[in-house]
Every structure is written in C-alpha cells, then in structure tokens.
Amino acid sequence: MRNPFLLLAMFGMASVAYSQVQAAPVQFAGVVPGTVVTKEVQSIRERRFENLVEQETDFSCGAASLATILKYAYGWTDVTEETVLAGLMEVADPERVRSLGFSLLDLNNYVQSIGLRGRGYEIGPESLEEVSIPVIVLLNLDGYEHFVVMKKARGDRVYIGDPALGNKVMDRDDFLASWNDIIFAVVGDGFDTSTVLLDPAQPLTARRMTDVFSPVPEQQLLDFGFKHSEVF
C-alpha cells in the first residue's frame, strides 16, 4: 500500500508547481535551418482575463468594471481596481456599501468626480445590438447582483467581461433573463473609438466571420451622450 503522506506531499509539490506555471515564449528550432522561431503564448487564465481588470473582493465588481472601461477605452493605463474603490468610497455611503455593495448612482457619482459623465439608458431587448460602445450592466445571476462590462451583442450572443469569471460569451436568452434592461455608459473626452473592448475574442467557429470589428461611428457616439467637441 502506498504511503498516503508521500502521496499528499507529491500532490502538494505538483500543486505548487502548477500554480507557478506562467505563460512564456516558446522557441521552435529547425523550422528554418539555422534559425530559432519564438512565439509568445498565453496561459488559459491570461486569455480569460485579457483586457479585463479582475475583481479582488466580493463587492468590487462595479469598481473592476469601471476600471476596465477607464483603462481599455480611455487609456488610463495607471488605473487599478484599488484606485477606483478608493474613489467610490469617497462618494458612497460606507454602511450601505458594506451591506448592499455599490449602486449605479455610486458609479455615476465617481465618474463625475473624475471629470467624465455617466449616462444611464433603459433599452429594450430589440435595441441590444445598437449599443456600440462598451457599457456596464447589472446582471442577476441566481439571486446575486453582479456588475459586468457588456462589450457588444451580435445575433444570439452577448460578449461580456466578467471581472470575477473573465471574458465570456453569453447566450442572448440567458443574458436577457438576467439583465434589468439598463445600461450605464461612461462618456467624455479621450474615448478610443477603436477600443479593444469592442473586438473580443471570437468562438472558434465559422460564425465568428460575421462579427467583423469596426470603430464606433461619430454619430453613434453623439447618440450615447458624447459632445461634438469630443468626437469631431
């Protein structure tokens, strides 16, 4: 019979080794005689949270979602979940946050405090594909309210950045069943019309060819509350 303590020790070492595995360049020698080809690769976790700020606490999904938009749609490269959390706590009721988390009003107050503007819109399911900028939405997932970034909707798929679970594609019907018909847009100077948030990784199917990326047209920016001076 094998020593159970030895098995546990071996499992522990394997677990540590696995946790320390990180993406790194892979080299292929001999592809062309006398050369070495280097290919950058991503770990599954890195791919899952690519262009997405991950939440670190149970109540920080709103902060991480806001940080994602500020970082990848407005170029605020130094923004972190922690800095947004600190700013949110300055404009929110701490007691309410501890019991209920942040609200859309808290997000809006914080956005205004940093010189941008928040715009909340109630839209119907038929208008989902017309949302042409990344927005924050509140989903009710098995009774748990959770802020995520909605990147775009195409056909029966909705692309979201979930700060807790990573980038994923939701079935349209599942999204609609969880969503409250409200979108929250951050608008202001410096928006990148070609933001990577509008070009999420596609499922590995032939249907991906229908989701062609294109920058946000200027007229659609105006429709979402941007000013003429910010887009022309």
Side-chain angles (χ1 to χ4, degrees), residues 9 20 33 48 55 58 62 84 88 91 101 113-114 121 148 153 156-157 174 177 185-186 200 224 230:
Q20 295 176 342
R48 185 185 305 157
Q55 73 179 82
D58 291 339
V84 176
L88 280 168
V91 299
S113 74
I114 59 175
Y121 301 92
V148 302
D156 60 357
R157 290 173 288 177
D174 291 340
V186 178
F224 277 99
E230 293 167 340

Side-chain angles (χ1 to χ4, degrees), residues 42-56:
Q42 288 181 308
S43 68
I44 294 177
R45 181 175 182 80
E46 286 176 325
R47 178 64 181 271
R48 185 185 305 157
F49 286 94
E50 184 178 23
N51 303 324
L52 178 63
V53 176
E54 183 178 1
Q55 73 179 82
E56 300 295 338

Side-chain angles (χ1 to χ4, degrees), residues 19-80:
S19 67
Q20 295 176 342
V21 172
Q22 298 179 351
V26 176
Q27 294 185 339
F28 301 90
V31 177
V32 177
T35 66
V36 175
V37 177
T38 301
K39 174 66 175 177
E40 292 288 340
V41 298
Q42 288 181 308
S43 68
I44 294 177
R45 181 175 182 80
E46 286 176 325
R47 178 64 181 271
R48 185 185 305 157
F49 286 94
E50 184 178 23
N51 303 324
L52 178 63
V53 176
E54 183 178 1
Q55 73 179 82
E56 300 295 338
T57 70
D58 291 339
F59 63 89
S60 60
C61 54
S65 296
L66 260 182
T68 295
I69 288 181
L70 293 176
K71 185 172 185 176
Y72 295 107
Y74 281 89
W76 292 27
T77 56
D78 294 333
V79 73
T80 64

Side-chain angles (χ1 to χ4, degrees), residues 197-216:
L197 297 180
L198 296 177
D199 191 24
Q202 303 297 312
L204 297 178
T205 66
R207 293 171 58 195
R208 63 186 296 181
M209 301 302 294
T210 65
D211 291 344
V212 179
F213 169 74
S214 60
V216 184

Side-chain angles (χ1 to χ4, degrees), residues 64-196:
S65 296
L66 260 182
T68 295
I69 288 181
L70 293 176
K71 185 172 185 176
Y72 295 107
Y74 281 89
W76 292 27
T77 56
D78 294 333
V79 73
T80 64
E81 180 195 52
E82 291 76 16
T83 59
V84 176
L85 267 178
L88 280 168
M89 292 303 294
E90 292 181 359
V91 299
D93 179 357
E95 291 298 326
R96 185 185 184 283
V97 170
R98 276 190 283 269
S99 60
L100 300 174
F102 293 107
S103 67
L104 277 177
L105 178 60
D106 296 329
L107 301 189
N108 182 64
N109 290 340
Y110 171 73
V111 166
Q112 290 183 342
S113 74
I114 59 175
L116 298 172
R117 305 186 305 282
R119 291 288 184 271
Y121 301 92
E122 182 174 1
I123 65 173
E126 70 282 354
S127 301
L128 200 59
E129 291 193 31
E130 297 176 15
V131 180
S132 55
I133 61 175
V135 295
I136 295 175
V137 297
L138 183 65
L139 300 182
N140 189 310
L141 304 174
D142 296 324
Y144 174 63
E145 293 191 335
H146 185 51
F147 286 114
V148 302
V149 177
M150 189 188 85
K151 301 176 181 181
K152 68 177 182 179
R154 291 293 183 272
D156 60 357
R157 290 173 288 177
V158 181
Y159 298 83
I160 69 169
D162 185 327
L165 301 177
N167 295 300
K168 61 181 183 179
V169 183
M170 290 187 69
D171 179 82
R172 183 188 181 95
D173 290 338
D174 291 340
F175 178 87
L176 294 177
S178 305
W179 176 50
N180 62 359
D181 292 351
I182 301 294
I183 61 173
F184 179 76
V186 178
V187 301
D189 192 26
F191 178 77
D192 179 7
T193 59
S194 298
T195 170
V196 294

